[in-house]
Protein backbone atom coordinates (compact mmCIF):
# COMPACT_ATOMS: atom_id res chain seq x y z
CA UNK A 1 0.00 0.00 0.00
CA UNK A 2 2.79 2.44 0.86
CA UNK A 3 4.53 1.60 -2.43
CA UNK A 4 1.33 2.40 -4.33
CA UNK A 5 0.98 5.76 -2.56
CA UNK A 6 4.60 6.66 -3.33
CA UNK A 7 4.12 5.69 -6.99
CA UNK A 8 1.00 7.86 -7.26
CA UNK A 9 2.83 10.78 -5.63
CA UNK A 10 5.73 10.38 -8.06
CA UNK A 11 3.31 10.48 -11.02
CA UNK A 12 1.60 13.54 -9.55
CA UNK A 13 4.95 15.31 -9.13
CA UNK A 14 5.91 14.43 -12.70
CA UNK A 15 2.62 15.85 -13.95
CA UNK A 16 3.10 19.06 -12.00
CA UNK A 17 6.65 19.42 -13.34
CA UNK A 18 5.37 19.01 -16.89
CA UNK A 19 2.95 21.92 -16.58
CA UNK A 20 5.10 24.19 -14.41
CA UNK A 21 6.63 27.12 -16.27
CA UNK A 22 10.28 28.00 -15.78
CA UNK A 23 9.26 31.66 -15.50
CA UNK A 24 6.11 33.72 -15.39
CA UNK A 25 5.33 37.32 -16.26
CA UNK A 26 2.36 39.64 -16.19
CA UNK A 27 2.55 40.11 -19.98
CA UNK A 28 4.89 39.38 -22.88
CA UNK A 29 6.15 42.95 -23.08
CA UNK A 30 7.57 42.61 -19.55
CA UNK A 31 9.98 39.93 -20.80
CA UNK A 32 13.44 41.43 -21.38
CA UNK A 33 15.03 40.19 -24.64
CA UNK A 34 18.56 40.85 -23.30
CA UNK A 35 17.96 38.61 -20.26
CA UNK A 36 16.79 35.74 -22.46
CA UNK A 37 19.78 36.20 -24.78
CA UNK A 38 22.22 36.17 -21.85
CA UNK A 39 20.76 32.82 -20.77
CA UNK A 40 21.61 31.33 -24.16
CA UNK A 41 18.11 31.37 -25.62
CA UNK A 42 18.10 32.15 -29.35
CA UNK A 43 14.56 31.38 -30.42
CA UNK A 44 11.06 31.99 -29.16
CA UNK A 45 7.97 29.99 -30.02
CA UNK A 46 5.00 32.22 -29.29
CA UNK A 47 1.35 31.47 -28.71
CA UNK A 48 -1.08 33.80 -30.44
CA UNK A 49 -4.44 34.21 -28.70
CA UNK A 50 -4.36 36.04 -25.38
CA UNK A 51 -0.56 35.99 -25.46
CA UNK A 52 0.24 38.38 -28.34
CA UNK A 53 -3.24 39.72 -29.05
CA UNK A 54 -6.69 39.36 -27.54
CA UNK A 55 -8.71 36.32 -28.58
CA UNK A 56 -10.76 36.93 -31.72
CA UNK A 57 -9.02 40.27 -32.42
CA UNK A 58 -7.06 41.02 -35.56
CA UNK A 59 -5.13 43.91 -34.06
CA UNK A 60 -1.75 43.29 -32.47
CA UNK A 61 -1.30 45.91 -29.70
CA UNK A 62 1.35 48.52 -30.48
CA UNK A 63 3.38 47.59 -27.37
CA UNK A 64 3.53 43.99 -28.56
CA UNK A 65 4.61 45.04 -32.08
CA UNK A 66 7.46 47.08 -30.58
CA UNK A 67 8.47 44.18 -28.33
CA UNK A 68 8.53 41.78 -31.30
CA UNK A 69 10.72 44.23 -33.22
CA UNK A 70 13.09 44.42 -30.22
CA UNK A 71 13.35 40.63 -30.20
CA UNK A 72 14.23 40.53 -33.88
CA UNK A 73 16.75 43.36 -33.44
CA UNK A 74 18.36 41.33 -30.63
CA UNK A 75 18.75 38.43 -33.09
CA UNK A 76 16.03 36.07 -31.91
CA UNK A 77 14.41 33.62 -34.29
CA UNK A 78 10.65 33.84 -33.85
CA UNK A 79 8.03 31.18 -34.51
CA UNK A 80 4.39 30.63 -33.67
CA UNK A 81 2.44 27.56 -32.63
CA UNK A 82 -1.32 27.98 -32.31
CA UNK A 83 -4.42 25.86 -32.21
CA UNK A 84 -6.13 28.51 -34.33
CA UNK A 85 -6.75 28.48 -38.08
CA UNK A 86 -4.12 29.24 -40.73
CA UNK A 87 -5.47 32.63 -41.83
CA UNK A 88 -5.38 34.02 -38.30
CA UNK A 89 -1.92 32.71 -37.44
CA UNK A 90 -0.44 33.77 -40.80
CA UNK A 91 -1.78 37.29 -40.29
CA UNK A 92 0.71 37.76 -37.43
CA UNK A 93 3.50 35.35 -38.42
CA UNK A 94 4.06 36.36 -42.05
CA UNK A 95 4.93 40.03 -41.42
CA UNK A 96 7.55 38.78 -38.95
CA UNK A 97 8.82 36.21 -41.46
CA UNK A 98 8.26 33.65 -38.70
CA UNK A 99 7.58 29.95 -39.29
CA UNK A 100 4.30 28.81 -37.82
CA UNK A 101 2.11 25.82 -37.09
CA UNK A 102 -1.63 26.28 -37.06
CA UNK A 103 -4.26 23.87 -35.79
CA UNK A 104 -1.35 22.42 -33.86
CA UNK A 105 -3.43 20.47 -31.32
CA UNK A 106 -1.22 21.70 -28.50
CA UNK A 107 0.18 20.21 -26.35
CA UNK A 108 1.06 17.82 -29.19
CA UNK A 109 4.76 18.07 -29.93
CA UNK A 110 4.34 18.03 -33.72
CA UNK A 111 3.79 21.80 -34.15
CA UNK A 112 6.57 22.68 -31.72
CA UNK A 113 9.02 20.34 -33.47
CA UNK A 114 8.06 21.62 -36.90
CA UNK A 115 8.60 25.27 -35.98
CA UNK A 116 11.84 24.49 -34.09
CA UNK A 117 13.17 22.66 -37.16
CA UNK A 118 12.31 25.65 -39.37
CA UNK A 119 14.16 27.90 -36.91
CA UNK A 120 17.21 25.59 -37.14
CA UNK A 121 17.84 25.75 -33.43
CA UNK A 122 18.26 23.05 -30.80
CA UNK A 123 15.22 22.66 -28.56
CA UNK A 124 17.23 23.73 -25.49
CA UNK A 125 17.91 27.14 -27.12
CA UNK A 126 14.19 27.86 -27.58
CA UNK A 127 11.67 29.31 -25.14
CA UNK A 128 7.93 28.75 -25.44
CA UNK A 129 5.85 31.75 -24.37
CA UNK A 130 2.12 31.35 -23.82
CA UNK A 131 -0.85 31.93 -21.55
CA UNK A 132 -2.00 28.35 -20.90
CA UNK A 133 -0.48 25.67 -18.70
CA UNK A 134 -2.13 22.70 -20.41
CA UNK A 135 -1.20 23.67 -23.97
CA UNK A 136 1.82 25.97 -24.09
CA UNK A 137 3.71 24.97 -20.93
CA UNK A 138 2.98 21.27 -21.24
CA UNK A 139 3.95 21.26 -24.92
CA UNK A 140 7.22 23.10 -24.33
CA UNK A 141 8.21 21.23 -21.18
CA UNK A 142 7.64 17.84 -22.82
CA UNK A 143 10.35 18.74 -25.34
CA UNK A 144 12.78 20.23 -22.81
CA UNK A 145 12.28 23.83 -23.95
CA UNK A 146 12.39 26.78 -21.58
CA UNK A 147 8.81 27.81 -20.76
CA UNK A 148 7.46 31.25 -19.90
CA UNK A 149 3.87 31.64 -18.80
CA UNK A 150 2.13 35.01 -19.13
CA UNK A 151 -1.25 36.19 -17.92
CA UNK A 152 -3.92 36.26 -20.64
CA UNK A 153 -4.25 39.67 -22.30
CA UNK A 154 -8.05 39.70 -22.09
CA UNK A 155 -10.82 37.95 -20.18
CA UNK A 156 -12.73 37.17 -23.39
CA UNK A 157 -11.83 33.66 -24.58
CA UNK A 158 -12.90 30.68 -26.61
CA UNK A 159 -15.58 28.69 -24.74
CA UNK A 160 -13.37 25.60 -24.41
CA UNK A 161 -10.57 27.69 -22.94
CA UNK A 162 -12.88 29.05 -20.26
CA UNK A 163 -13.45 25.50 -19.06
CA UNK A 164 -9.75 24.68 -18.87
CA UNK A 165 -9.11 27.94 -17.01
CA UNK A 166 -11.09 26.54 -14.06
CA UNK A 167 -8.82 23.51 -13.92
CA UNK A 168 -5.81 25.76 -14.46
CA UNK A 169 -6.72 27.88 -11.41
CA UNK A 170 -6.96 24.72 -9.29
CA UNK A 171 -3.57 23.51 -10.51
CA UNK A 172 -1.98 26.93 -9.95
CA UNK A 173 -3.08 26.80 -6.31
CA UNK A 174 -1.57 23.32 -6.00
CA UNK A 175 1.70 24.47 -7.58
CA UNK A 176 1.84 27.45 -5.21
CA UNK A 177 1.21 25.23 -2.15
CA UNK A 178 4.00 22.90 -3.29
CA UNK A 179 6.36 25.86 -3.80
CA UNK A 180 6.75 24.98 -7.49
CA UNK A 181 5.34 28.17 -9.00
CA UNK A 182 8.03 30.70 -9.97
CA UNK A 183 7.46 34.27 -8.77
CA UNK A 184 5.61 36.52 -11.18
CA UNK A 185 7.77 39.21 -12.75
CA UNK A 186 6.77 42.36 -14.53
CA UNK A 187 5.25 45.73 -13.97
CA UNK A 188 2.80 46.32 -11.16
CA UNK A 189 1.35 49.61 -12.37
CA UNK A 190 -1.99 48.31 -13.72
Amino acid sequence: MLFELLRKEKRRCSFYKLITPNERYRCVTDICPQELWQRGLRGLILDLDNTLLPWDSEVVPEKVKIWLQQLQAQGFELGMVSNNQRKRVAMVAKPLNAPYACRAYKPSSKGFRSVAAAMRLPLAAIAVIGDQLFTDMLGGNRLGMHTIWVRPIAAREFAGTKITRCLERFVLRRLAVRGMLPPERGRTDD
Side-chain angles (χ1 to χ4, degrees):
M1 180 147 169
L2 178 61
F3 179 73
E4 183 64 29
L5 287 172
L6 290 172
R7 196 165 55 119
K8 283 182 182 178
E9 184 61 25
K10 183 179 177 186
R11 268 187 293 188
R12 200 173 305 130
C13 286
S14 297
F15 168 73
Y16 285 128
K17 285 180 185 176
L18 279 174
I19 60 169
T20 302
N22 298 110
E23 298 180 72
R24 67 183 178 129
Y25 286 83
R26 292 180 60 83
C27 68
V28 292
T29 57
D30 288 338
I31 300 169
C32 177
Q34 293 81 9
E35 284 183 27
L36 298 178
W37 192 266
Q38 288 171 351
R39 285 192 230 132
L41 296 167
R42 297 298 181 259
L44 302 176
I45 293 179
L46 304 159
D47 174 49
L48 186 64
D49 290 313
N50 266 341
T51 298
L52 296 181
L53 70 161
W55 176 78
D56 209 24
S57 169
E58 294 190 7
V59 179
V60 178
E62 194 60 33
K63 281 175 43 174
V64 174
K65 285 182 186 177
I66 292 167
W67 180 75
L68 291 168
Q69 291 167 353
Q70 290 172 341
L71 290 168
Q72 288 184 314
Q74 180 77 38
F76 281 98
E77 292 290 326
L78 301 179
M80 291 187 190
V81 176
S82 176
N83 288 340
N84 215 309
Q85 59 189 320
R86 180 176 307 278
K87 181 180 175 186
R88 180 162 171 73
V89 181
M91 168 192 74
V92 178
K94 284 189 176 182
L96 296 168
N97 199 28
Y100 61 92
C102 54
R103 296 196 185 263
Y105 301 103
K106 293 186 289 183
S108 170
S109 62
K110 186 177 179 181
F112 292 103
R113 286 185 191 279
S114 166
V115 171
M119 295 166 82
R120 297 184 179 156
L121 291 169
L123 298 176
I126 299 172
V128 174
I129 301 175
D131 69 305
Q132 293 188 56
L133 295 179
F134 299 115
T135 58
D136 307 308
M137 300 306 101
L138 179 57
N141 284 336
R142 288 176 61 215
L143 294 172
M145 295 182 191
H146 189 78
T147 52
I148 302 172
W149 183 62
V150 296
R151 287 188 191 184
I153 289 176
R156 190 166 175 253
E157 297 190 282
F158 174 68
T161 305
K162 287 182 181 186
I163 294 167
T164 60
R165 290 287 186 208
C166 294
L167 183 56
E168 193 173 80
R169 283 190 293 276
F170 171 78
V171 170
L172 285 169
R173 286 191 300 272
R174 301 284 299 176
L175 291 173
V177 165
R178 291 170 173 262
M180 297 174 72
L181 197 60
E184 184 175 71
R185 297 174 62 191
R187 68 184 193 287
T188 57
D189 58 347
D190 55 330

